[in-house]
PDB file of all heavy atoms in Angstrom:
ATOM      1  N   THR B  16       0.847  -1.202  -0.032  1.00 98.00           N
ATOM      2  CA  THR B  16      -0.040   0.006   0.021  1.00 98.00           C
ATOM      3  C   THR B  16       0.891   1.260  -0.013  1.00 98.00           C
ATOM      4  O   THR B  16       2.037   1.213   0.431  1.00 98.00           O
ATOM      5  CB  THR B  16      -0.884   0.073   1.217  1.00 98.00           C
ATOM      6  OG1 THR B  16      -0.091  -0.183   2.413  1.00 98.00           O
ATOM      7  CG2 THR B  16      -1.976  -0.984   1.205  1.00 98.00           C
ATOM      8  N   CYS B  17       0.298   2.309  -0.481  1.00 98.00           N
ATOM      9  CA  CYS B  17       0.974   3.642  -0.425  1.00 98.00           C
ATOM     10  C   CYS B  17      -0.141   4.645  -0.268  1.00 98.00           C
ATOM     11  O   CYS B  17      -1.297   4.321  -0.450  1.00 98.00           O
ATOM     12  CB  CYS B  17       1.833   3.887  -1.664  1.00 98.00           C
ATOM     13  SG  CYS B  17       1.021   3.411  -3.263  1.00 98.00           S
ATOM     14  N   ALA B  18       0.196   5.877   0.107  1.00 98.00           N
ATOM     15  CA  ALA B  18      -0.786   6.832   0.422  1.00 98.00           C
ATOM     16  C   ALA B  18      -0.451   8.250  -0.164  1.00 98.00           C
ATOM     17  O   ALA B  18       0.739   8.564  -0.395  1.00 98.00           O
ATOM     18  CB  ALA B  18      -1.054   6.947   1.906  1.00 98.00           C
ATOM     19  N   LEU B  19      -1.468   9.063  -0.347  1.00 97.00           N
ATOM     20  CA  LEU B  19      -1.353  10.389  -0.940  1.00 97.00           C
ATOM     21  C   LEU B  19      -1.179  11.449   0.079  1.00 97.00           C
ATOM     22  O   LEU B  19      -1.755  11.387   1.180  1.00 97.00           O
ATOM     23  CB  LEU B  19      -2.576  10.581  -1.832  1.00 97.00           C
ATOM     24  CG  LEU B  19      -2.617  11.851  -2.672  1.00 97.00           C
ATOM     25  CD1 LEU B  19      -1.511  11.828  -3.720  1.00 97.00           C
ATOM     26  CD2 LEU B  19      -4.011  11.947  -3.367  1.00 97.00           C
ATOM     27  N   ASN B  20      -0.372  12.457  -0.251  1.00 94.00           N
ATOM     28  CA  ASN B  20      -0.199  13.614   0.570  1.00 94.00           C
ATOM     29  C   ASN B  20      -0.279  14.891  -0.261  1.00 94.00           C
ATOM     30  O   ASN B  20      -0.118  14.894  -1.476  1.00 94.00           O
ATOM     31  CB  ASN B  20       1.198  13.602   1.239  1.00 94.00           C
ATOM     32  CG  ASN B  20       1.315  12.517   2.332  1.00 94.00           C
ATOM     33  OD1 ASN B  20       0.794  12.673   3.367  1.00 94.00           O
ATOM     34  ND2 ASN B  20       2.007  11.411   1.956  1.00 94.00           N
ATOM     35  N   HIS B  21      -0.604  16.033   0.427  1.00 92.00           N
ATOM     36  CA  HIS B  21      -0.604  17.293  -0.270  1.00 92.00           C
ATOM     37  C   HIS B  21       0.768  17.596  -0.937  1.00 92.00           C
ATOM     38  O   HIS B  21       0.834  18.309  -1.905  1.00 92.00           O
ATOM     39  CB  HIS B  21      -0.947  18.403   0.680  1.00 92.00           C
ATOM     40  CG  HIS B  21      -2.487  18.538   0.922  1.00 92.00           C
ATOM     41  ND1 HIS B  21      -3.311  19.055  -0.030  1.00 92.00           N
ATOM     42  CD2 HIS B  21      -3.184  18.242   1.960  1.00 92.00           C
ATOM     43  CE1 HIS B  21      -4.536  19.036   0.456  1.00 92.00           C
ATOM     44  NE2 HIS B  21      -4.514  18.526   1.645  1.00 92.00           N
ATOM     45  N   HIS B  22       1.839  17.021  -0.362  1.00 94.00           N
ATOM     46  CA  HIS B  22       3.147  17.177  -0.923  1.00 94.00           C
ATOM     47  C   HIS B  22       3.167  16.715  -2.386  1.00 94.00           C
ATOM     48  O   HIS B  22       3.876  17.344  -3.228  1.00 94.00           O
ATOM     49  CB  HIS B  22       4.178  16.362  -0.069  1.00 94.00           C
ATOM     50  CG  HIS B  22       5.573  16.450  -0.560  1.00 94.00           C
ATOM     51  ND1 HIS B  22       6.081  15.590  -1.510  1.00 94.00           N
ATOM     52  CD2 HIS B  22       6.578  17.274  -0.181  1.00 94.00           C
ATOM     53  CE1 HIS B  22       7.355  15.914  -1.725  1.00 94.00           C
ATOM     54  NE2 HIS B  22       7.676  16.938  -0.935  1.00 94.00           N
ATOM     55  N   ASP B  23       2.448  15.639  -2.641  1.00 97.00           N
ATOM     56  CA  ASP B  23       2.438  15.165  -4.076  1.00 97.00           C
ATOM     57  C   ASP B  23       1.781  16.140  -5.014  1.00 97.00           C
ATOM     58  O   ASP B  23       2.175  16.334  -6.145  1.00 97.00           O
ATOM     59  CB  ASP B  23       1.695  13.804  -4.094  1.00 97.00           C
ATOM     60  CG  ASP B  23       2.333  12.807  -3.126  1.00 97.00           C
ATOM     61  OD1 ASP B  23       3.596  12.701  -3.186  1.00 97.00           O
ATOM     62  OD2 ASP B  23       1.618  12.194  -2.322  1.00 97.00           O
ATOM     63  N   VAL B  24       0.674  16.784  -4.544  1.00 96.00           N
ATOM     64  CA  VAL B  24       0.008  17.760  -5.362  1.00 96.00           C
ATOM     65  C   VAL B  24       0.871  18.988  -5.542  1.00 96.00           C
ATOM     66  O   VAL B  24       1.001  19.575  -6.641  1.00 96.00           O
ATOM     67  CB  VAL B  24      -1.352  18.173  -4.750  1.00 96.00           C
ATOM     68  CG1 VAL B  24      -1.978  19.309  -5.576  1.00 96.00           C
ATOM     69  CG2 VAL B  24      -2.264  16.989  -4.739  1.00 96.00           C
ATOM     70  N   TRP B  25       1.636  19.459  -4.484  1.00 95.00           N
ATOM     71  CA  TRP B  25       2.488  20.569  -4.600  1.00 95.00           C
ATOM     72  C   TRP B  25       3.613  20.229  -5.589  1.00 95.00           C
ATOM     73  O   TRP B  25       4.033  21.140  -6.401  1.00 95.00           O
ATOM     74  CB  TRP B  25       3.126  20.931  -3.233  1.00 95.00           C
ATOM     75  CG  TRP B  25       2.133  21.662  -2.331  1.00 95.00           C
ATOM     76  CD1 TRP B  25       1.635  21.145  -1.139  1.00 95.00           C
ATOM     77  CD2 TRP B  25       1.595  22.983  -2.530  1.00 95.00           C
ATOM     78  NE1 TRP B  25       0.738  22.121  -0.610  1.00 95.00           N
ATOM     79  CE2 TRP B  25       0.787  23.213  -1.417  1.00 95.00           C
ATOM     80  CE3 TRP B  25       1.715  23.917  -3.507  1.00 95.00           C
ATOM     81  CZ2 TRP B  25       0.036  24.390  -1.298  1.00 95.00           C
ATOM     82  CZ3 TRP B  25       1.008  25.088  -3.401  1.00 95.00           C
ATOM     83  CH2 TRP B  25       0.202  25.365  -2.275  1.00 95.00           C
ATOM     84  N   SER B  26       4.070  18.984  -5.599  1.00 97.00           N
ATOM     85  CA  SER B  26       5.097  18.637  -6.628  1.00 97.00           C
ATOM     86  C   SER B  26       4.635  18.838  -8.003  1.00 97.00           C
ATOM     87  O   SER B  26       5.327  19.314  -8.909  1.00 97.00           O
ATOM     88  CB  SER B  26       5.535  17.160  -6.372  1.00 97.00           C
ATOM     89  OG  SER B  26       6.174  17.044  -5.154  1.00 97.00           O
ATOM     90  N   LEU B  27       3.350  18.460  -8.250  1.00 98.00           N
ATOM     91  CA  LEU B  27       2.734  18.628  -9.598  1.00 98.00           C
ATOM     92  C   LEU B  27       2.565  20.097  -9.905  1.00 98.00           C
ATOM     93  O   LEU B  27       2.458  20.489 -11.088  1.00 98.00           O
ATOM     94  CB  LEU B  27       1.445  17.862  -9.655  1.00 98.00           C
ATOM     95  CG  LEU B  27       1.538  16.322  -9.715  1.00 98.00           C
ATOM     96  CD1 LEU B  27       0.175  15.698  -9.523  1.00 98.00           C
ATOM     97  CD2 LEU B  27       2.186  15.867 -11.029  1.00 98.00           C
ATOM     98  N   ARG B  28       2.416  20.906  -8.879  1.00 97.00           N
ATOM     99  CA  ARG B  28       2.250  22.383  -9.086  1.00 97.00           C
ATOM    100  C   ARG B  28       3.604  23.032  -9.318  1.00 97.00           C
ATOM    101  O   ARG B  28       3.649  24.254  -9.633  1.00 97.00           O
ATOM    102  CB  ARG B  28       1.536  23.022  -7.925  1.00 97.00           C
ATOM    103  CG  ARG B  28       0.113  22.595  -7.772  1.00 97.00           C
ATOM    104  CD  ARG B  28      -0.581  23.434  -6.608  1.00 97.00           C
ATOM    105  NE  ARG B  28      -1.880  22.995  -6.350  1.00 97.00           N
ATOM    106  CZ  ARG B  28      -3.017  23.299  -6.987  1.00 97.00           C
ATOM    107  NH1 ARG B  28      -2.917  24.073  -8.090  1.00 97.00           N
ATOM    108  NH2 ARG B  28      -4.175  22.844  -6.593  1.00 97.00           N
ATOM    109  N   GLY B  29       4.686  22.337  -9.136  1.00 96.00           N
ATOM    110  CA  GLY B  29       6.018  22.885  -9.321  1.00 96.00           C
ATOM    111  C   GLY B  29       6.677  23.451  -8.067  1.00 96.00           C
ATOM    112  O   GLY B  29       7.686  24.203  -8.124  1.00 96.00           O
ATOM    113  N   VAL B  30       6.163  23.064  -6.893  1.00 93.00           N
ATOM    114  CA  VAL B  30       6.736  23.550  -5.640  1.00 93.00           C
ATOM    115  C   VAL B  30       7.545  22.405  -4.967  1.00 93.00           C
ATOM    116  O   VAL B  30       7.061  21.346  -4.719  1.00 93.00           O
ATOM    117  CB  VAL B  30       5.615  23.963  -4.637  1.00 93.00           C
ATOM    118  CG1 VAL B  30       6.179  24.398  -3.307  1.00 93.00           C
ATOM    119  CG2 VAL B  30       4.757  25.054  -5.248  1.00 93.00           C
ATOM    120  N   GLY B  31       8.849  22.679  -4.766  1.00 91.00           N
ATOM    121  CA  GLY B  31       9.731  21.698  -4.081  1.00 91.00           C
ATOM    122  C   GLY B  31      10.353  20.668  -4.953  1.00 91.00           C
ATOM    123  O   GLY B  31      11.254  19.953  -4.487  1.00 91.00           O
ATOM    124  N   LEU B  32       9.878  20.535  -6.164  1.00 96.00           N
ATOM    125  CA  LEU B  32      10.437  19.525  -7.066  1.00 96.00           C
ATOM    126  C   LEU B  32      10.949  20.223  -8.347  1.00 96.00           C
ATOM    127  O   LEU B  32      10.105  20.609  -9.162  1.00 96.00           O
ATOM    128  CB  LEU B  32       9.373  18.471  -7.473  1.00 96.00           C
ATOM    129  CG  LEU B  32       9.732  17.414  -8.499  1.00 96.00           C
ATOM    130  CD1 LEU B  32      10.934  16.586  -8.015  1.00 96.00           C
ATOM    131  CD2 LEU B  32       8.557  16.521  -8.837  1.00 96.00           C
ATOM    132  N   PRO B  33      12.248  20.342  -8.525  1.00 96.00           N
ATOM    133  CA  PRO B  33      12.809  21.031  -9.717  1.00 96.00           C
ATOM    134  C   PRO B  33      12.375  20.284 -11.000  1.00 96.00           C
ATOM    135  O   PRO B  33      12.313  19.073 -11.060  1.00 96.00           O
ATOM    136  CB  PRO B  33      14.313  20.996  -9.536  1.00 96.00           C
ATOM    137  CG  PRO B  33      14.524  20.790  -8.054  1.00 96.00           C
ATOM    138  CD  PRO B  33      13.324  19.992  -7.580  1.00 96.00           C
ATOM    139  N   ALA B  34      12.039  21.085 -12.050  1.00 96.00           N
ATOM    140  CA  ALA B  34      11.564  20.517 -13.281  1.00 96.00           C
ATOM    141  C   ALA B  34      12.616  19.606 -13.968  1.00 96.00           C
ATOM    142  O   ALA B  34      12.293  18.620 -14.681  1.00 96.00           O
ATOM    143  CB  ALA B  34      11.131  21.603 -14.242  1.00 96.00           C
ATOM    144  N   ASP B  35      13.912  19.854 -13.701  1.00 97.00           N
ATOM    145  CA  ASP B  35      14.944  19.040 -14.295  1.00 97.00           C
ATOM    146  C   ASP B  35      15.054  17.624 -13.689  1.00 97.00           C
ATOM    147  O   ASP B  35      15.879  16.845 -14.193  1.00 97.00           O
ATOM    148  CB  ASP B  35      16.293  19.804 -14.249  1.00 97.00           C
ATOM    149  CG  ASP B  35      16.780  20.050 -12.848  1.00 97.00           C
ATOM    150  OD1 ASP B  35      16.164  19.593 -11.887  1.00 97.00           O
ATOM    151  OD2 ASP B  35      17.838  20.708 -12.746  1.00 97.00           O
ATOM    152  N   ARG B  36      14.294  17.353 -12.638  1.00 97.00           N
ATOM    153  CA  ARG B  36      14.282  16.002 -12.098  1.00 97.00           C
ATOM    154  C   ARG B  36      13.149  15.135 -12.607  1.00 97.00           C
ATOM    155  O   ARG B  36      13.003  13.961 -12.183  1.00 97.00           O
ATOM    156  CB  ARG B  36      14.211  16.051 -10.553  1.00 97.00           C
ATOM    157  CG  ARG B  36      15.490  16.698  -9.933  1.00 97.00           C
ATOM    158  CD  ARG B  36      15.365  16.726  -8.464  1.00 97.00           C
ATOM    159  NE  ARG B  36      16.505  17.495  -7.828  1.00 97.00           N
ATOM    160  CZ  ARG B  36      16.588  17.891  -6.614  1.00 97.00           C
ATOM    161  NH1 ARG B  36      15.575  17.558  -5.706  1.00 97.00           N
ATOM    162  NH2 ARG B  36      17.629  18.552  -6.149  1.00 97.00           N
ATOM    163  N   LEU B  37      12.291  15.701 -13.470  1.00 98.00           N
ATOM    164  CA  LEU B  37      11.206  14.918 -14.066  1.00 98.00           C
ATOM    165  C   LEU B  37      11.735  13.977 -15.059  1.00 98.00           C
ATOM    166  O   LEU B  37      12.689  14.274 -15.800  1.00 98.00           O
ATOM    167  CB  LEU B  37      10.147  15.895 -14.623  1.00 98.00           C
ATOM    168  CG  LEU B  37       9.499  16.925 -13.643  1.00 98.00           C
ATOM    169  CD1 LEU B  37       8.559  17.804 -14.406  1.00 98.00           C
ATOM    170  CD2 LEU B  37       8.895  16.201 -12.453  1.00 98.00           C
ATOM    171  N   PRO B  38      11.090  12.870 -15.325  1.00 98.00           N
ATOM    172  CA  PRO B  38       9.872  12.335 -14.565  1.00 98.00           C
ATOM    173  C   PRO B  38      10.308  11.852 -13.208  1.00 98.00           C
ATOM    174  O   PRO B  38      11.380  11.351 -13.031  1.00 98.00           O
ATOM    175  CB  PRO B  38       9.389  11.221 -15.463  1.00 98.00           C
ATOM    176  CG  PRO B  38      10.639  10.744 -16.184  1.00 98.00           C
ATOM    177  CD  PRO B  38      11.469  11.934 -16.459  1.00 98.00           C
ATOM    178  N   MET B  39       9.392  11.983 -12.234  1.00 98.00           N
ATOM    179  CA  MET B  39       9.657  11.626 -10.863  1.00 98.00           C
ATOM    180  C   MET B  39       8.442  10.835 -10.320  1.00 98.00           C
ATOM    181  O   MET B  39       7.320  11.303 -10.376  1.00 98.00           O
ATOM    182  CB  MET B  39       9.848  12.813  -9.967  1.00 98.00           C
ATOM    183  CG  MET B  39      10.093  12.561  -8.503  1.00 98.00           C
ATOM    184  SD  MET B  39      11.558  11.604  -8.150  1.00 98.00           S
ATOM    185  CE  MET B  39      12.809  12.872  -8.306  1.00 98.00           C
ATOM    186  N   VAL B  40       8.695   9.642  -9.827  1.00 98.00           N
ATOM    187  CA  VAL B  40       7.651   8.895  -9.133  1.00 98.00           C
ATOM    188  C   VAL B  40       7.296   9.619  -7.821  1.00 98.00           C
ATOM    189  O   VAL B  40       8.182   9.960  -7.038  1.00 98.00           O
ATOM    190  CB  VAL B  40       8.079   7.461  -8.810  1.00 98.00           C
ATOM    191  CG1 VAL B  40       6.995   6.713  -8.038  1.00 98.00           C
ATOM    192  CG2 VAL B  40       8.425   6.695 -10.082  1.00 98.00           C
ATOM    193  N   LEU B  41       6.011   9.896  -7.616  1.00 98.00           N
ATOM    194  CA  LEU B  41       5.582  10.661  -6.469  1.00 98.00           C
ATOM    195  C   LEU B  41       5.381   9.760  -5.282  1.00 98.00           C
ATOM    196  O   LEU B  41       5.507   8.541  -5.361  1.00 98.00           O
ATOM    197  CB  LEU B  41       4.259  11.376  -6.814  1.00 98.00           C
ATOM    198  CG  LEU B  41       4.347  12.400  -7.992  1.00 98.00           C
ATOM    199  CD1 LEU B  41       2.935  12.805  -8.384  1.00 98.00           C
ATOM    200  CD2 LEU B  41       5.271  13.591  -7.655  1.00 98.00           C
ATOM    201  N   GLY B  42       5.081  10.369  -4.102  1.00 98.00           N
ATOM    202  CA  GLY B  42       4.770   9.573  -2.923  1.00 98.00           C
ATOM    203  C   GLY B  42       5.822   9.517  -1.835  1.00 98.00           C
ATOM    204  O   GLY B  42       7.022   9.393  -2.096  1.00 98.00           O
ATOM    205  N   CYS B  43       5.331   9.686  -0.595  1.00 98.00           N
ATOM    206  CA  CYS B  43       6.201   9.617   0.603  1.00 98.00           C
ATOM    207  C   CYS B  43       5.761   8.506   1.570  1.00 98.00           C
ATOM    208  O   CYS B  43       6.511   8.188   2.479  1.00 98.00           O
ATOM    209  CB  CYS B  43       6.208  10.943   1.357  1.00 98.00           C
ATOM    210  SG  CYS B  43       6.773  12.376   0.440  1.00 98.00           S
ATOM    211  N   ASP B  44       4.533   8.035   1.413  1.00 97.00           N
ATOM    212  CA  ASP B  44       3.937   7.034   2.303  1.00 97.00           C
ATOM    213  C   ASP B  44       4.010   5.650   1.684  1.00 97.00           C
ATOM    214  O   ASP B  44       3.503   5.493   0.497  1.00 97.00           O
ATOM    215  CB  ASP B  44       2.510   7.359   2.625  1.00 97.00           C
ATOM    216  CG  ASP B  44       2.368   8.506   3.687  1.00 97.00           C
ATOM    217  OD1 ASP B  44       3.280   8.694   4.484  1.00 97.00           O
ATOM    218  OD2 ASP B  44       1.359   9.182   3.612  1.00 97.00           O
ATOM    219  N   GLY B  45       4.476   4.628   2.431  1.00 98.00           N
ATOM    220  CA  GLY B  45       4.423   3.318   1.859  1.00 98.00           C
ATOM    221  C   GLY B  45       4.654   2.237   2.862  1.00 98.00           C
ATOM    222  O   GLY B  45       5.347   2.465   3.919  1.00 98.00           O
ATOM    223  N   ALA B  46       4.083   1.089   2.657  1.00 98.00           N
ATOM    224  CA  ALA B  46       4.253  -0.104   3.506  1.00 98.00           C
ATOM    225  C   ALA B  46       4.361  -1.321   2.599  1.00 98.00           C
ATOM    226  O   ALA B  46       3.621  -1.446   1.643  1.00 98.00           O
ATOM    227  CB  ALA B  46       3.172  -0.225   4.536  1.00 98.00           C
ATOM    228  N   GLY B  47       5.244  -2.237   2.948  1.00 98.00           N
ATOM    229  CA  GLY B  47       5.426  -3.389   2.051  1.00 98.00           C
ATOM    230  C   GLY B  47       6.352  -4.464   2.663  1.00 98.00           C
ATOM    231  O   GLY B  47       6.443  -4.514   3.935  1.00 98.00           O
ATOM    232  N   VAL B  48       6.996  -5.207   1.843  1.00 98.00           N
ATOM    233  CA  VAL B  48       7.815  -6.338   2.289  1.00 98.00           C
ATOM    234  C   VAL B  48       9.245  -6.118   1.734  1.00 98.00           C
ATOM    235  O   VAL B  48       9.461  -5.856   0.579  1.00 98.00           O
ATOM    236  CB  VAL B  48       7.261  -7.670   1.704  1.00 98.00           C
ATOM    237  CG1 VAL B  48       8.125  -8.814   2.125  1.00 98.00           C
ATOM    238  CG2 VAL B  48       5.811  -7.869   2.185  1.00 98.00           C
ATOM    239  N   ASP B  49      10.242  -6.244   2.683  1.00 98.00           N
ATOM    240  CA  ASP B  49      11.617  -6.061   2.283  1.00 98.00           C
ATOM    241  C   ASP B  49      12.189  -7.334   1.637  1.00 98.00           C
ATOM    242  O   ASP B  49      11.531  -8.390   1.613  1.00 98.00           O
ATOM    243  CB  ASP B  49      12.475  -5.526   3.481  1.00 98.00           C
ATOM    244  CG  ASP B  49      12.776  -6.624   4.541  1.00 98.00           C
ATOM    245  OD1 ASP B  49      12.447  -7.825   4.320  1.00 98.00           O
ATOM    246  OD2 ASP B  49      13.304  -6.254   5.565  1.00 98.00           O
ATOM    247  N   PRO B  50      13.426  -7.322   1.124  1.00 98.00           N
ATOM    248  CA  PRO B  50      13.962  -8.494   0.480  1.00 98.00           C
ATOM    249  C   PRO B  50      14.104  -9.726   1.362  1.00 98.00           C
ATOM    250  O   PRO B  50      14.219 -10.886   0.844  1.00 98.00           O
ATOM    251  CB  PRO B  50      15.362  -8.015   0.011  1.00 98.00           C
ATOM    252  CG  PRO B  50      15.234  -6.562  -0.126  1.00 98.00           C
ATOM    253  CD  PRO B  50      14.331  -6.135   0.981  1.00 98.00           C
ATOM    254  N   ASP B  51      14.097  -9.565   2.668  1.00 97.00           N
ATOM    255  CA  ASP B  51      14.135 -10.651   3.600  1.00 97.00           C
ATOM    256  C   ASP B  51      12.759 -11.203   4.049  1.00 97.00           C
ATOM    257  O   ASP B  51      12.663 -12.068   4.878  1.00 97.00           O
ATOM    258  CB  ASP B  51      14.957 -10.269   4.856  1.00 97.00           C
ATOM    259  CG  ASP B  51      16.403  -9.914   4.499  1.00 97.00           C
ATOM    260  OD1 ASP B  51      16.986 -10.564   3.629  1.00 97.00           O
ATOM    261  OD2 ASP B  51      16.845  -8.910   5.079  1.00 97.00           O
ATOM    262  N   GLY B  52      11.709 -10.633   3.424  1.00 98.00           N
ATOM    263  CA  GLY B  52      10.334 -11.090   3.802  1.00 98.00           C
ATOM    264  C   GLY B  52       9.775 -10.406   4.983  1.00 98.00           C
ATOM    265  O   GLY B  52       8.655 -10.831   5.401  1.00 98.00           O
ATOM    266  N   ASN B  53      10.401  -9.363   5.514  1.00 98.00           N
ATOM    267  CA  ASN B  53       9.870  -8.682   6.656  1.00 98.00           C
ATOM    268  C   ASN B  53       8.830  -7.618   6.250  1.00 98.00           C
ATOM    269  O   ASN B  53       9.042  -6.906   5.208  1.00 98.00           O
ATOM    270  CB  ASN B  53      10.957  -7.940   7.423  1.00 98.00           C
ATOM    271  CG  ASN B  53      12.047  -8.926   7.915  1.00 98.00           C
ATOM    272  OD1 ASN B  53      11.767  -9.851   8.587  1.00 98.00           O
ATOM    273  ND2 ASN B  53      13.298  -8.618   7.509  1.00 98.00           N
ATOM    274  N   GLU B  54       7.748  -7.498   7.006  1.00 98.00           N
ATOM    275  CA  GLU B  54       6.731  -6.458   6.714  1.00 98.00           C
ATOM    276  C   GLU B  54       7.226  -5.142   7.349  1.00 98.00           C
ATOM    277  O   GLU B  54       7.611  -5.152   8.533  1.00 98.00           O
ATOM    278  CB  GLU B  54       5.404  -6.879   7.309  1.00 98.00           C
ATOM    279  CG  GLU B  54       4.817  -8.074   6.654  1.00 98.00           C
ATOM    280  CD  GLU B  54       3.425  -8.488   7.158  1.00 98.00           C
ATOM    281  OE1 GLU B  54       2.962  -7.885   8.181  1.00 98.00           O
ATOM    282  OE2 GLU B  54       2.798  -9.363   6.559  1.00 98.00           O
ATOM    283  N   VAL B  55       7.267  -4.097   6.510  1.00 98.00           N
ATOM    284  CA  VAL B  55       7.929  -2.843   6.965  1.00 98.00           C
ATOM    285  C   VAL B  55       7.113  -1.614   6.604  1.00 98.00           C
ATOM    286  O   VAL B  55       6.314  -1.624   5.656  1.00 98.00           O
ATOM    287  CB  VAL B  55       9.330  -2.747   6.403  1.00 98.00           C
ATOM    288  CG1 VAL B  55      10.269  -3.844   6.892  1.00 98.00           C
ATOM    289  CG2 VAL B  55       9.299  -2.712   4.854  1.00 98.00           C
ATOM    290  N   LEU B  56       7.371  -0.547   7.348  1.00 98.00           N
ATOM    291  CA  LEU B  56       6.999   0.829   6.996  1.00 98.00           C
ATOM    292  C   LEU B  56       8.176   1.483   6.337  1.00 98.00           C
ATOM    293  O   LEU B  56       9.298   1.245   6.757  1.00 98.00           O
ATOM    294  CB  LEU B  56       6.546   1.642   8.163  1.00 98.00           C
ATOM    295  CG  LEU B  56       5.474   1.031   9.126  1.00 98.00           C
ATOM    296  CD1 LEU B  56       5.184   1.986  10.297  1.00 98.00           C
ATOM    297  CD2 LEU B  56       4.204   0.854   8.341  1.00 98.00           C
ATOM    298  N   VAL B  57       7.981   2.355   5.372  1.00 98.00           N
ATOM    299  CA  VAL B  57       9.052   3.047   4.751  1.00 98.00           C
ATOM    300  C   VAL B  57       9.115   4.489   5.345  1.00 98.00           C
ATOM    301  O   VAL B  57       8.106   5.269   5.236  1.00 98.00           O
ATOM    302  CB  VAL B  57       8.833   3.167   3.207  1.00 98.00           C
ATOM    303  CG1 VAL B  57       9.934   4.030   2.590  1.00 98.00           C
ATOM    304  CG2 VAL B  57       8.886   1.776   2.659  1.00 98.00           C
ATOM    305  N   HIS B  58      10.254   4.797   5.963  1.00 98.00           N
ATOM    306  CA  HIS B  58      10.474   6.165   6.440  1.00 98.00           C
ATOM    307  C   HIS B  58      11.029   6.994   5.256  1.00 98.00           C
ATOM    308  O   HIS B  58      12.001   6.673   4.606  1.00 98.00           O
ATOM    309  CB  HIS B  58      11.513   6.146   7.551  1.00 98.00           C
ATOM    310  CG  HIS B  58      11.885   7.459   8.106  1.00 98.00           C
ATOM    311  ND1 HIS B  58      10.969   8.439   8.402  1.00 98.00           N
ATOM    312  CD2 HIS B  58      13.110   7.975   8.485  1.00 98.00           C
ATOM    313  CE1 HIS B  58      11.545   9.513   8.919  1.00 98.00           C
ATOM    314  NE2 HIS B  58      12.876   9.266   8.931  1.00 98.00           N
ATOM    315  N   ALA B  59      10.346   8.147   4.996  1.00 98.00           N
ATOM    316  CA  ALA B  59      10.563   8.896   3.779  1.00 98.00           C
ATOM    317  C   ALA B  59      11.689   9.952   3.843  1.00 98.00           C
ATOM    318  O   ALA B  59      12.074  10.483   2.842  1.00 98.00           O
ATOM    319  CB  ALA B  59       9.256   9.545   3.364  1.00 98.00           C
ATOM    320  N   VAL B  60      12.220  10.297   5.023  1.00 98.00           N
ATOM    321  CA  VAL B  60      13.250  11.286   5.168  1.00 98.00           C
ATOM    322  C   VAL B  60      14.608  10.603   4.878  1.00 98.00           C
ATOM    323  O   VAL B  60      15.044   9.745   5.613  1.00 98.00           O
ATOM    324  CB  VAL B  60      13.271  11.929   6.552  1.00 98.00           C
ATOM    325  CG1 VAL B  60      14.284  13.054   6.603  1.00 98.00           C
ATOM    326  CG2 VAL B  60      11.891  12.491   6.846  1.00 98.00           C
TER     327      VAL B  60
END
């Protein structure tokens, strides 16, 4: 799973994400499985 934040909309508006880094996969929230099979949260900083 992953989740949406206002940060993602601001990125599409051109705030905080330089245009020369496009294309850029959006998103700061995520949870899933690591290579060892552990269920994890992803820290975005």
Side-chain angles (χ1 to χ4, degrees):
T16 50
C17 44
L19 186 61
N20 290 284
H21 280 286
H22 181 273
D23 304 311
V24 175
W25 285 114
S26 294
L27 290 168
R28 293 188 187 277
V30 178
L32 175 62
D35 61 6
R36 294 181 186 169
L37 301 179
M39 176 66 75
V40 177
L41 300 169
C43 303
D44 284 330
V48 179
D49 73 7
D51 299 320
N53 302 306
E54 296 184 350
V55 296
L56 307 177
V57 174
H58 178 43
V60 183

